[in-house]
Amino acid sequence: SRSLVRARERIVTNQTRCKNRIWQLLNFSGISLPKEYQTTQYWSKRFVKELQSLDCGTEMLKTTLALYIQDFVQTRALLLEATRSIRKLCKSPEYEKEIKLLLSIPGIGEINAAIMLFELQDIRRFKHFDQLSSYVGLIPDTGDSGDRKVIKGITKRSNFYLRTALVESSWVVVRKDPAMLMKYKQYLRAMDKNKAIVRIAKHLLSRVNFVLKNKKEYVSGLVA
């Protein structure tokens, strides 16, 4: 199960590289697209067709672009297959109950729920919340400077997959949960938005810890 979500994340990374490769080729060649496509996040079939129909000027450039587009389309197909496999696994008797618990927390979708569950494995192996936070990588990094302990910011030691899933979900939860939005705005008074969202991710991890250990769905206002 963990190998499947990690394989999907690698495919996501590959898809991003495919997109960047195409953008770099177009920019280097001086080929522009309509304004509505300049900052697009999701590449629809219509957008891909638009890319395929571009006037590239030379046959060599057109062939190169076609190869890059084919690479992107194949990678997207792999991503779809991996996503479907994870969704199917989430509905299996082995994982369905715990996935449902995680989905009761505002901001957590099915794929990120799967990443959290499969990466954490048995939540009971973390005796204290600080141990869990350390494993995820949501604790400050410290160093000694003479007699003083210096706080350096968030530690680089982390479970990349878990921390990414929590941060992604945190951006959603601040839009869905008024209490979390209030906390986020409070953090923004003292730090930038990226550091603030990491603080929210730690609150979200607390909710994840609670529902999995207590086998109870999340109730608004029950857990910080």
Side-chain angles (χ1 to χ4, degrees), residues 133-134 136-142 153-158 163:
S133 297
S134 177
V136 176
L138 294 177
I139 60 170
D141 195 10
T142 60
I154 190 168
T155 179
K156 293 181 180 178
R157 300 183 301 275
S158 69
R163 189 160 74 175

Side-chain angles (χ1 to χ4, degrees), residues 161-218:
Y161 305 97
L162 263 174
R163 189 160 74 175
T164 300
L166 280 162
V167 170
E168 284 181 356
S169 298
S170 295
W171 286 114
V172 180
V173 78
V174 294
R175 297 197 303 267
K176 290 189 172 184
D177 187 323
M180 284 290 208
L181 177 59
M182 186 179 298
K183 287 181 183 292
Y184 176 64
K185 287 181 177 179
Q186 289 172 349
Y187 288 130
L188 284 178
R189 295 171 188 166
M191 61 192 71
D192 65 40
K193 64 179 183 180
N194 291 320
K195 289 182 179 179
I197 207 68
V198 169
R199 299 299 195 282
I200 295 300
K202 192 169 183 178
H203 288 290
L204 191 60
L205 179 62
S206 176
R207 294 179 176 184
V208 169
N209 183 55
F210 178 85
V211 299
L212 290 180
K213 280 188 174 177
N214 292 279
K215 306 296 182 186
K216 294 180 179 178
E217 291 189 11
Y218 175 75

Side-chain angles (χ1 to χ4, degrees), residues 141-155:
D141 195 10
T142 60
D144 291 323
S145 176
D147 296 327
R148 294 185 304 126
K149 183 168 285 189
V150 180
I151 305 298
K152 299 180 178 178
I154 190 168
T155 179

Side-chain angles (χ1 to χ4, degrees), residues 75-104:
T75 302
R76 184 167 65 179
L78 283 175
L79 179 58
L80 179 60
E81 184 178 345
T83 300
R84 284 173 174 169
S85 296
I86 291 171
R87 293 191 188 283
K88 183 178 179 181
L89 197 59
C90 287
K91 291 176 174 58
S92 67
E94 185 177 359
Y95 300 114
E96 187 177 22
K97 288 183 179 179
E98 288 177 307
I99 290 292
K100 187 178 179 182
L101 291 174
L102 291 171
L103 291 177
S104 70

